[in-house]
Every structure is written in structure tokens, then in C-alpha cells.
Amino acid sequence: MLSMLVGAVMTTSLLLTGCGQESGNNNDGANAQTTLKVGFGSSIDNSSGGQGLKKFKELLETESNGKFKVELYGDGQLGNDKSMMEALQMGTLDMTLPSSSPVSEFTKAFLVYDLPFLFTDIKQVDNVLDGENGKEILGTLKDVNIVGLCYFENGFRNITNSKKPINTVDDLNGLKIRTMQNPIHLESFTLWGANPSPMAFNEVFTALEQKTLDAQENPNTLIYDAGFYEAQKYLTISRHFYTPYVFMISKKTWDKLSDEDKKLVQKCADEAKFYQREINRKLDAEYLEKMKDKGIQVNELSSNEINKMKEIVKPVYDKFAEDIGKERLNKIQEQIEEIK
């Protein structure tokens, strides 16, 4: 109990000191240093998202000649994705890098990235995220007092489980699988016959280990980073969802910056974005091989089975089109079709 209390006090302290006088432009003159506190749910040192944040820190501190100081807090020290976004809204935290799925709780435009099998390859991903459609969706964050800078990559999501190889959609029947608290993810897995169970990321390993969950789904990089393969026997390459990270800054912090500083922050975020995606794609393949070496059995769904799964979840597109915005969804689907 005492350790939990100390942890809560530390988290509150970090958030309260995250902005205040240290964050935003101080009034000490032209040479005052601006401190940006950045919260992240996964590891700073081991995850690709953390590596991208470290690159952003390096770039911004170097290119600003020390005018900016960036402090990184990983492993959910400052809360989960939703609570850190709420801290951005209040101005008690400067920046965070949530997965896009929790972002949809703040602006439904981001639900588009949760649609099953929306993307089939990374060329489509990059064109949408970095194009006008992706930027328009980022722009909706301003309505909730947050500024979207760019997209990092979480990646294509695959399924692990402790029961059996998943070769067909029927193999998902009754499987108790952890998903994010996201309506499209929940609806999709229910239609595929599974028993989706939302759970905080930091609770998943214990649940898998204790067999209160049969399965989970994440990109290969997170499956490896979190050690889920230690509590699972099978990994199925399904690529059923693609999930970006959303790099964002509090509008209160953003509004304190000069136009020149805003351009520099945006520039460094974009450079870090390309760096992070390259690392993520490299690690995705490397970590898959490492997991094979550690004994997890890997199989890939056939194109026929993927087409069956797509057909089953067609109603999901219709059900959530209004929330996403029918025109927005049509534009993105048209853009993707042009790249096939």
C-alpha cells in the first residue's frame, strides 16, 4: 500500500512540474530555456516509439542550440495514453505519443485507423498518414486543445495465443483475447467469434501468464518488448489492424511558442518520424525471428482466410462510417485504391 501511495505521489509530482514555470516559454529573456516533458506508455530505451522520442530530443536540443530541453518519461510513469492526453488538455503535460486507438475517444476521426484490414502495405500507410487526409485528421485534435504533430508507427497487429495455431477464422471461436478499449476492435473480434476483453497494457503479461487470458494482439515489436511470447505458444501473422502512434503537444504549450520555435518543433518531429518508422520496420522483422528462436510457433493466415475475415467485418465499416465521417472515409479508401 505504501509503495502504491509513493508511486501515485511521484506521478502527480511529475505532472505538476511538467509544465508550470519549466514548460513553455519562460519570461527570463531571449535565452531562457524551454523544458518539454514527454510521457510515453512503453519503454524509452527498448521500443521503437521510445527510440523515435530519443531522436526527437536529440534533434530539438541540438538544432535549438540548447534553447529546448526535452525530458522523456516512459513505461507509463505519467499514466496511460488516455490520462496523458487529458494532462495535455489541461496543460500539465507537454507532449505524449499514444496509440491512435485511445485518441479516438477524444476525436472520432481517428477511428478510421482502427478499421480492420484498411491497409495492406506500408506504401499505403505512408501515403495516407503523410498526405492531406492524414494531416486533416491530425487537425481535428485542435478541437480538444491538443496539436497533432505527426504519426510515428506502432505497426501491423498480429495475434498470439496459448491454445492452438490460428489457421482459420473459426480458430478464433471462443478465444478470450485482450484488446484495447476501442469499439471497432471489440466489434471486429466479436464478429470473428472471439471473446474480446479490454485490459490495460501493463496488466496483460500477468493475465496471459495466469491463463485468465488466452490471447492478445499487438505488433511484433510490442509482443517482443513486453515479453508476451514467454507466456504464449503461438503467433499468427494476421495483420488485421494497422496502428499508428500519434505524436502530439498540448495546445497550451504550443501557443506559448514563437512561430519560429513552432516550425523547429514540427521539423524535428517530422525528422524523428521517418527515423522511427525505419527502425520499427527493421525491428518488426528482427524480433519475429528472435521469437521463433525462443520457441514460439509462427504461422501466417492465407489470403483466402484473410478475405473471409474481411467479408465478416464489412458491417463494421458501415456501422462506424458516420462517426468517422463518410466523406473522410471515402477519400482515404480512394487514396488507398490508387496505391494498390
Side-chain angles (χ1 to χ4, degrees):
M1 180 66 72
L2 179 59
S3 62
M4 292 175 63
L5 179 60
V6 170
V9 170
M10 288 179 65
T11 298
T12 303
S13 176
L14 282 169
L15 284 172
L16 290 175
T17 58
C19 289
Q21 294 183 348
E22 287 191 338
S23 179
N25 284 337
N26 295 326
N27 298 317
D28 302 337
N31 295 322
Q33 188 178 63
T34 299
T35 298
L36 297 177
K37 284 184 165 54
V38 187
F40 183 47
S42 296
S43 166
I44 294 295
D45 292 324
N46 298 324
S47 71
S48 64
Q51 293 301 306
L53 291 176
K54 287 171 76 172
K55 174 58 71 172
F56 172 75
K57 170 183 169 69
E58 173 194 323
L59 289 168
L60 186 58
E61 290 181 348
T62 300
E63 295 190 25
S64 69
N65 294 316
K67 181 178 180 181
F68 280 96
K69 177 184 177 184
V70 179
E71 296 180 355
L72 304 177
Y73 298 91
D75 295 312
Q77 291 179 71
L78 305 186
N80 59 28
D81 286 345
K82 182 178 179 181
S83 63
M84 285 190 284
M85 285 189 68
E86 290 170 344
L88 259 64
Q89 289 180 304
M90 294 184 289
T92 55
L93 180 65
D94 298 306
M95 306 180 78
T96 189
L97 185 68
S99 177
S100 63
S101 296
V103 181
S104 65
E105 295 185 46
F106 294 79
T107 164
K108 290 183 178 180
F110 281 84
L111 282 170
V112 71
Y113 299 129
D114 293 308
L115 290 170
F117 299 108
L118 177 68
F119 298 109
T120 58
D121 63 51
I122 57 174
K123 183 183 290 187
Q124 296 169 351
V125 167
D126 289 345
N127 273 270
V128 170
L129 296 186
D130 298 333
E132 289 306 311
N133 289 317
K135 291 176 182 176
E136 186 270 333
I137 291 173
L138 281 177
T140 65
L141 284 165
K142 288 187 177 178
D143 295 334
V144 293
N145 292 321
I146 294 172
V147 175
L149 295 172
C150 64
Y151 301 94
F152 283 21
E153 179 167 271
N154 196 337
F156 284 100
R157 305 177 77 87
N158 299 312
I159 301 168
T160 69
N161 85 97
S162 59
K163 295 289 187 181
K164 59 185 176 181
I166 297 170
N167 293 303
T168 71
V169 65
D170 291 339
D171 291 328
L172 289 170
N173 283 338
L175 202 68
K176 190 170 183 181
I177 184 168
R178 180 268 178 181
T179 66
M180 286 186 280
Q181 181 66 51
N182 177 275
I184 292 180
H185 287 201
L186 293 168
E187 183 88 7
S188 297
F189 273 102
T190 299
L191 288 172
W192 289 327
N195 180 12
S197 179
M199 182 180 293
F201 183 79
N202 61 1
E203 299 173 4
V204 177
F205 183 87
T206 300
L208 294 173
E209 193 174 42
Q210 295 177 350
K211 308 297 184 184
T212 55
L213 283 177
D214 302 319
Q216 65 82 47
E217 52 87 49
N218 263 298
N220 291 341
T221 51
L222 285 183
I223 295 170
Y224 185 82
D225 287 336
F228 293 152
Y229 61 89
E230 296 176 6
Q232 303 272 265
K233 292 182 180 179
Y234 308 100
L235 190 158
T236 301
I237 305 298
S238 51
R239 295 163 66 90
H240 50 279
F241 302 123
Y242 174 87
T243 310
Y245 284 122
V246 187
F247 195 22
M248 56 181 66
I249 185 169
S250 168
K251 190 172 184 299
K252 288 187 177 181
T253 300
W254 184 255
D255 288 344
K256 294 176 184 177
L257 303 179
S258 67
D259 288 344
E260 182 179 350
D261 285 344
K262 287 176 182 176
K263 289 179 182 177
L264 181 59
V265 169
Q266 183 68 64
K267 174 179 178 290
C268 293
D270 286 333
E271 290 183 23
K273 164 189 73 178
F274 292 119
Y275 172 85
Q276 187 272 341
R277 288 185 198 169
E278 182 178 352
I279 284 183
N280 191 75
R281 289 162 190 177
K282 179 182 177 183
L283 290 179
D284 184 86
E286 286 184 6
Y287 286 177
L288 180 60
E289 292 306 312
K290 286 185 177 182
M291 287 189 284
K292 288 179 182 178
D293 291 341
K294 291 179 182 295
I296 197 165
Q297 296 182 36
V298 178
N299 72 290
E300 185 166 357
L301 285 179
S302 69
S303 58
N304 284 339
E305 283 305 315
I306 287 174
N307 287 335
K308 286 181 186 177
M309 292 178 74
K310 286 181 180 179
E311 190 67 27
I312 290 169
V313 292
K314 272 186 177 180
V316 172
Y317 278 70
D318 295 331
K319 182 174 180 176
F320 290 94
E322 197 71 46
D323 287 336
I324 292 166
K326 290 184 179 179
E327 183 178 356
R328 177 182 290 121
L329 176 56
N330 288 338
K331 285 181 178 179
I332 289 175
Q333 289 179 305
E334 288 170 4
Q335 185 179 1
I336 290 171
E337 282 296 320
E338 291 172 359
I339 302 165
K340 285 184 178 179

